[in-house]
Amino acid sequence: MIDTAVRQPEPTTFGSGWMSGVLSTALGIVGLFAVLCFRFSRLLTVPELRALYPLPYIRALLHLVLVGSFVLGTISVCLRRRKVLGMAGITMTLVAALLGGSRVPVEGQVGRGPFLGLDWFVLNLIVYSAVFIPLERLFARLPEQPIFRRGWRTDLAYFFFSALFLQVTTLLTMKPAMVFFAWAAHAGLQESVASQPFALQFAAILALTDFTQYWIHRAFHVVPALWRFHKIHHSAEAMDWLAGSRLHLVDVAVTRGLTYVPVYVLGFAEAPLFAYVAFVSIQATFIHANVRFRFPLLRNVIATPQFHHWHHSAEREAVDKNFAVHLPVLDALFGTYYMPRDRWPASYGLSNGEPVPPGYTRQLMYPFRRRST
Ligand SMILES: [Zn+2]
Ligand SMILES: [Zn+2]
């Protein structure tokens, strides 16, 4: 009897202490990370962001977050038989409080040097989950798919490390172009490109990057040595806003590094370039999301969730289709467009059931293992 009771999954309905436990843990993590960012700002925060923070407001908010985590953790511990969620939230709040809580001093004068983007992770997590979780609940393409679906820990690890190693990935994106293509950069050309209207530069960056990216993406699918890395992205069996984060570091470095070459050579201005980076991170998240919007008027102009969901389909006829990230016209032009009008893929993942291990570290090592195909 005891054995059955232990094995039975605890309810996750309202009043079971599950929601308060999850919220307590999430707020506990955010609170603890925020306190760590204050304490070790030189190491853990992005220099460009430090100057922008309205500190008094952040401290007030941090106070509310820590109190919220503690109260919700206590509620969860009272309601729930398994105390682990509530206790995790409470423990993190206590550790955050011991480190100084919302009154934690900011580490002295900060300079430029190696840093980790822990604050970038916290900000991204707050903004993306606040936008996409309600959006996916309200307009779910698969309403029965839970927030904490299979593989969410793996994908959250990708989300975490890509934000944490922001400096490394930015460097890997920009440095190779600057080192190997400095000879191709001409000041006169760059000046005339940078002086064009914002909208024109933005559109040009979008078209140029997607053209380059289309062929790199296609190569990642057809060259076996590259597919080892890219199949990690396709190993996701559930599509949602977090699934798009699952990208091997080599995939990220090669794709971004090569895509940046023409952008660097032509010398676009900073404003349209930043606007493009913001746009691509939002769009790349959105096209993976578990949402049912079809965008009948826009679907042939810009990549939609339905378009990219077909790229992730496990159905044979959809394999090696829809490589574009922004412009489906590229797939139409090069013969890889696939979009049944009113259908969505029946399942996602690798079409021939190739085994990819779960977990960030194992997936990081996977392409280098001799027996992987
Ligand atoms: Zn792909
Ligand atoms: Zn994808």
PDB file of all heavy atoms in Angstrom, residues 86-110:
ATOM      1  N   GLY A  86       8.264  23.482  -2.400  1.00  0.00           N
ATOM      2  CA  GLY A  86       8.151  24.588  -1.440  1.00  0.00           C
ATOM      3  C   GLY A  86       9.463  24.817  -0.702  1.00  0.00           C
ATOM      4  O   GLY A  86       9.911  25.958  -0.531  1.00  0.00           O
ATOM      5  N   MET A  87      10.104  23.703  -0.306  1.00  0.00           N
ATOM      6  CA  MET A  87      11.361  23.825   0.436  1.00  0.00           C
ATOM      7  C   MET A  87      12.472  24.420  -0.440  1.00  0.00           C
ATOM      8  O   MET A  87      13.292  25.200   0.035  1.00  0.00           O
ATOM      9  CB  MET A  87      11.812  22.450   0.972  1.00  0.00           C
ATOM     10  CG  MET A  87      11.040  21.945   2.174  1.00  0.00           C
ATOM     11  SD  MET A  87      10.863  23.150   3.486  1.00  0.00           S
ATOM     12  CE  MET A  87      12.530  23.258   4.093  1.00  0.00           C
ATOM     13  N   ALA A  88      12.450  24.067  -1.720  1.00  0.00           N
ATOM     14  CA  ALA A  88      13.462  24.620  -2.642  1.00  0.00           C
ATOM     15  C   ALA A  88      13.305  26.132  -2.711  1.00  0.00           C
ATOM     16  O   ALA A  88      14.291  26.885  -2.628  1.00  0.00           O
ATOM     17  CB  ALA A  88      13.306  24.004  -4.027  1.00  0.00           C
ATOM     18  N   GLY A  89      12.064  26.599  -2.866  1.00  0.00           N
ATOM     19  CA  GLY A  89      11.786  28.041  -2.917  1.00  0.00           C
ATOM     20  C   GLY A  89      12.225  28.740  -1.644  1.00  0.00           C
ATOM     21  O   GLY A  89      12.926  29.763  -1.678  1.00  0.00           O
ATOM     22  N   ILE A  90      11.838  28.151  -0.496  1.00  0.00           N
ATOM     23  CA  ILE A  90      12.175  28.763   0.802  1.00  0.00           C
ATOM     24  C   ILE A  90      13.698  28.803   1.000  1.00  0.00           C
ATOM     25  O   ILE A  90      14.262  29.807   1.427  1.00  0.00           O
ATOM     26  CB  ILE A  90      11.495  27.978   1.961  1.00  0.00           C
ATOM     27  CG1 ILE A  90       9.976  28.188   1.887  1.00  0.00           C
ATOM     28  CG2 ILE A  90      12.039  28.411   3.316  1.00  0.00           C
ATOM     29  CD1 ILE A  90       9.185  27.345   2.860  1.00  0.00           C
ATOM     30  N   THR A  91      14.362  27.685   0.660  1.00  0.00           N
ATOM     31  CA  THR A  91      15.816  27.621   0.840  1.00  0.00           C
ATOM     32  C   THR A  91      16.523  28.696   0.020  1.00  0.00           C
ATOM     33  O   THR A  91      17.403  29.402   0.522  1.00  0.00           O
ATOM     34  CB  THR A  91      16.346  26.224   0.416  1.00  0.00           C
ATOM     35  OG1 THR A  91      15.559  25.244   1.059  1.00  0.00           O
ATOM     36  CG2 THR A  91      17.801  26.047   0.784  1.00  0.00           C
ATOM     37  N   MET A  92      16.093  28.824  -1.241  1.00  0.00           N
ATOM     38  CA  MET A  92      16.759  29.827  -2.083  1.00  0.00           C
ATOM     39  C   MET A  92      16.518  31.238  -1.560  1.00  0.00           C
ATOM     40  O   MET A  92      17.405  32.091  -1.593  1.00  0.00           O
ATOM     41  CB  MET A  92      16.291  29.686  -3.534  1.00  0.00           C
ATOM     42  CG  MET A  92      17.080  28.607  -4.237  1.00  0.00           C
ATOM     43  SD  MET A  92      16.661  28.412  -5.942  1.00  0.00           S
ATOM     44  CE  MET A  92      15.167  27.500  -5.823  1.00  0.00           C
ATOM     45  N   THR A  93      15.310  31.486  -1.051  1.00  0.00           N
ATOM     46  CA  THR A  93      15.008  32.803  -0.482  1.00  0.00           C
ATOM     47  C   THR A  93      15.893  33.068   0.733  1.00  0.00           C
ATOM     48  O   THR A  93      16.413  34.173   0.905  1.00  0.00           O
ATOM     49  CB  THR A  93      13.524  32.860  -0.050  1.00  0.00           C
ATOM     50  OG1 THR A  93      12.741  32.363  -1.109  1.00  0.00           O
ATOM     51  CG2 THR A  93      13.100  34.267   0.263  1.00  0.00           C
ATOM     52  N   LEU A  94      16.072  32.029   1.567  1.00  0.00           N
ATOM     53  CA  LEU A  94      16.901  32.211   2.762  1.00  0.00           C
ATOM     54  C   LEU A  94      18.356  32.473   2.391  1.00  0.00           C
ATOM     55  O   LEU A  94      19.009  33.334   2.981  1.00  0.00           O
ATOM     56  CB  LEU A  94      16.785  30.988   3.687  1.00  0.00           C
ATOM     57  CG  LEU A  94      15.426  30.845   4.384  1.00  0.00           C
ATOM     58  CD1 LEU A  94      15.393  29.588   5.235  1.00  0.00           C
ATOM     59  CD2 LEU A  94      15.119  32.076   5.250  1.00  0.00           C
ATOM     60  N   VAL A  95      18.858  31.723   1.408  1.00  0.00           N
ATOM     61  CA  VAL A  95      20.243  31.948   0.964  1.00  0.00           C
ATOM     62  C   VAL A  95      20.384  33.373   0.422  1.00  0.00           C
ATOM     63  O   VAL A  95      21.348  34.094   0.739  1.00  0.00           O
ATOM     64  CB  VAL A  95      20.656  30.907  -0.118  1.00  0.00           C
ATOM     65  CG1 VAL A  95      22.034  31.228  -0.685  1.00  0.00           C
ATOM     66  CG2 VAL A  95      20.648  29.501   0.458  1.00  0.00           C
ATOM     67  N   ALA A  96      19.379  33.803  -0.385  1.00  0.00           N
ATOM     68  CA  ALA A  96      19.401  35.168  -0.931  1.00  0.00           C
ATOM     69  C   ALA A  96      19.400  36.192   0.201  1.00  0.00           C
ATOM     70  O   ALA A  96      20.123  37.195   0.150  1.00  0.00           O
ATOM     71  CB  ALA A  96      18.204  35.380  -1.846  1.00  0.00           C
ATOM     72  N   ALA A  97      18.600  35.921   1.245  1.00  0.00           N
ATOM     73  CA  ALA A  97      18.530  36.843   2.382  1.00  0.00           C
ATOM     74  C   ALA A  97      19.866  36.894   3.116  1.00  0.00           C
ATOM     75  O   ALA A  97      20.339  37.965   3.509  1.00  0.00           O
ATOM     76  CB  ALA A  97      17.413  36.410   3.330  1.00  0.00           C
ATOM     77  N   LEU A  98      20.499  35.720   3.283  1.00  0.00           N
ATOM     78  CA  LEU A  98      21.806  35.662   3.964  1.00  0.00           C
ATOM     79  C   LEU A  98      22.875  36.422   3.180  1.00  0.00           C
ATOM     80  O   LEU A  98      23.805  36.988   3.752  1.00  0.00           O
ATOM     81  CB  LEU A  98      22.245  34.206   4.147  1.00  0.00           C
ATOM     82  CG  LEU A  98      21.532  33.442   5.261  1.00  0.00           C
ATOM     83  CD1 LEU A  98      21.939  31.973   5.234  1.00  0.00           C
ATOM     84  CD2 LEU A  98      21.860  34.062   6.620  1.00  0.00           C
ATOM     85  N   LEU A  99      22.729  36.449   1.867  1.00  0.00           N
ATOM     86  CA  LEU A  99      23.708  37.168   1.034  1.00  0.00           C
ATOM     87  C   LEU A  99      23.431  38.670   0.990  1.00  0.00           C
ATOM     88  O   LEU A  99      24.114  39.407   0.294  1.00  0.00           O
ATOM     89  CB  LEU A  99      23.684  36.599  -0.392  1.00  0.00           C
ATOM     90  CG  LEU A  99      24.337  35.236  -0.590  1.00  0.00           C
ATOM     91  CD1 LEU A  99      24.003  34.663  -1.959  1.00  0.00           C
ATOM     92  CD2 LEU A  99      25.857  35.345  -0.435  1.00  0.00           C
ATOM     93  N   GLY A 100      22.393  39.091   1.701  1.00  0.00           N
ATOM     94  CA  GLY A 100      22.101  40.524   1.756  1.00  0.00           C
ATOM     95  C   GLY A 100      20.703  40.894   1.298  1.00  0.00           C
ATOM     96  O   GLY A 100      20.270  42.033   1.455  1.00  0.00           O
ATOM     97  N   GLY A 101      19.982  39.962   0.709  1.00  0.00           N
ATOM     98  CA  GLY A 101      18.608  40.211   0.267  1.00  0.00           C
ATOM     99  C   GLY A 101      18.524  41.426  -0.644  1.00  0.00           C
ATOM    100  O   GLY A 101      19.441  41.707  -1.414  1.00  0.00           O
ATOM    101  N   SER A 102      17.427  42.168  -0.529  1.00  0.00           N
ATOM    102  CA  SER A 102      17.237  43.313  -1.440  1.00  0.00           C
ATOM    103  C   SER A 102      18.154  44.479  -1.081  1.00  0.00           C
ATOM    104  O   SER A 102      18.241  45.453  -1.820  1.00  0.00           O
ATOM    105  CB  SER A 102      15.779  43.755  -1.427  1.00  0.00           C
ATOM    106  OG  SER A 102      15.403  44.115  -0.123  1.00  0.00           O
ATOM    107  N   ARG A 103      18.831  44.401   0.100  1.00  0.00           N
ATOM    108  CA  ARG A 103      19.754  45.497   0.465  1.00  0.00           C
ATOM    109  C   ARG A 103      21.211  45.163   0.163  1.00  0.00           C
ATOM    110  O   ARG A 103      22.121  45.853   0.598  1.00  0.00           O
ATOM    111  CB  ARG A 103      19.617  45.795   1.956  1.00  0.00           C
ATOM    112  CG  ARG A 103      18.261  46.381   2.263  1.00  0.00           C
ATOM    113  CD  ARG A 103      18.298  47.105   3.570  1.00  0.00           C
ATOM    114  NE  ARG A 103      16.958  47.149   4.132  1.00  0.00           N
ATOM    115  CZ  ARG A 103      16.710  47.160   5.422  1.00  0.00           C
ATOM    116  NH1 ARG A 103      17.712  47.110   6.277  1.00  0.00           N
ATOM    117  NH2 ARG A 103      15.483  47.231   5.864  1.00  0.00           N
ATOM    118  N   VAL A 104      21.421  44.084  -0.555  1.00  0.00           N
ATOM    119  CA  VAL A 104      22.782  43.642  -0.878  1.00  0.00           C
ATOM    120  C   VAL A 104      23.579  44.782  -1.535  1.00  0.00           C
ATOM    121  O   VAL A 104      23.069  45.477  -2.408  1.00  0.00           O
ATOM    122  CB  VAL A 104      22.728  42.387  -1.804  1.00  0.00           C
ATOM    123  CG1 VAL A 104      21.951  42.675  -3.075  1.00  0.00           C
ATOM    124  CG2 VAL A 104      24.115  41.886  -2.164  1.00  0.00           C
ATOM    125  N   PRO A 105      24.802  45.001  -1.055  1.00  0.00           N
ATOM    126  CA  PRO A 105      25.585  46.089  -1.665  1.00  0.00           C
ATOM    127  C   PRO A 105      26.037  45.721  -3.082  1.00  0.00           C
ATOM    128  O   PRO A 105      26.244  44.551  -3.393  1.00  0.00           O
ATOM    129  CB  PRO A 105      26.807  46.209  -0.734  1.00  0.00           C
ATOM    130  CG  PRO A 105      26.911  44.890  -0.062  1.00  0.00           C
ATOM    131  CD  PRO A 105      25.526  44.308   0.020  1.00  0.00           C
ATOM    132  N   VAL A 106      26.191  46.746  -3.926  1.00  0.00           N
ATOM    133  CA  VAL A 106      26.705  46.513  -5.274  1.00  0.00           C
ATOM    134  C   VAL A 106      28.217  46.502  -5.192  1.00  0.00           C
ATOM    135  O   VAL A 106      28.815  47.356  -4.533  1.00  0.00           O
ATOM    136  CB  VAL A 106      26.265  47.633  -6.246  1.00  0.00           C
ATOM    137  CG1 VAL A 106      26.759  47.333  -7.659  1.00  0.00           C
ATOM    138  CG2 VAL A 106      24.764  47.785  -6.237  1.00  0.00           C
ATOM    139  N   GLU A 107      28.823  45.525  -5.826  1.00  0.00           N
ATOM    140  CA  GLU A 107      30.282  45.434  -5.867  1.00  0.00           C
ATOM    141  C   GLU A 107      30.852  46.731  -6.457  1.00  0.00           C
ATOM    142  O   GLU A 107      30.265  47.283  -7.394  1.00  0.00           O
ATOM    143  CB  GLU A 107      30.639  44.260  -6.786  1.00  0.00           C
ATOM    144  CG  GLU A 107      32.089  43.922  -6.824  1.00  0.00           C
ATOM    145  CD  GLU A 107      32.357  42.926  -7.956  1.00  0.00           C
ATOM    146  OE1 GLU A 107      31.841  43.132  -9.063  1.00  0.00           O
ATOM    147  OE2 GLU A 107      33.070  41.960  -7.702  1.00  0.00           O
ATOM    148  N   GLY A 108      31.964  47.198  -5.898  1.00  0.00           N
ATOM    149  CA  GLY A 108      32.535  48.501  -6.265  1.00  0.00           C
ATOM    150  C   GLY A 108      32.646  48.815  -7.743  1.00  0.00           C
ATOM    151  O   GLY A 108      31.939  48.246  -8.554  1.00  0.00           O
ATOM    152  N   GLN A 109      33.540  49.682  -8.075  1.00  0.00           N
ATOM    153  CA  GLN A 109      33.714  50.126  -9.464  1.00  0.00           C
ATOM    154  C   GLN A 109      33.892  48.950 -10.420  1.00  0.00           C
ATOM    155  O   GLN A 109      34.668  48.047 -10.149  1.00  0.00           O
ATOM    156  CB  GLN A 109      34.956  51.035  -9.512  1.00  0.00           C
ATOM    157  CG  GLN A 109      34.966  52.025 -10.656  1.00  0.00           C
ATOM    158  CD  GLN A 109      33.672  52.839 -10.730  1.00  0.00           C
ATOM    159  OE1 GLN A 109      33.118  53.255  -9.727  1.00  0.00           O
ATOM    160  NE2 GLN A 109      33.172  53.033 -11.933  1.00  0.00           N
ATOM    161  N   VAL A 110      33.129  48.980 -11.488  1.00  0.00           N
ATOM    162  CA  VAL A 110      33.236  47.853 -12.416  1.00  0.00           C
ATOM    163  C   VAL A 110      33.962  48.249 -13.692  1.00  0.00           C
ATOM    164  O   VAL A 110      33.778  49.331 -14.215  1.00  0.00           O
ATOM    165  CB  VAL A 110      31.844  47.273 -12.775  1.00  0.00           C
ATOM    166  CG1 VAL A 110      31.291  46.456 -11.639  1.00  0.00           C
ATOM    167  CG2 VAL A 110      30.883  48.372 -13.195  1.00  0.00           C
TER     168      VAL A 110
END
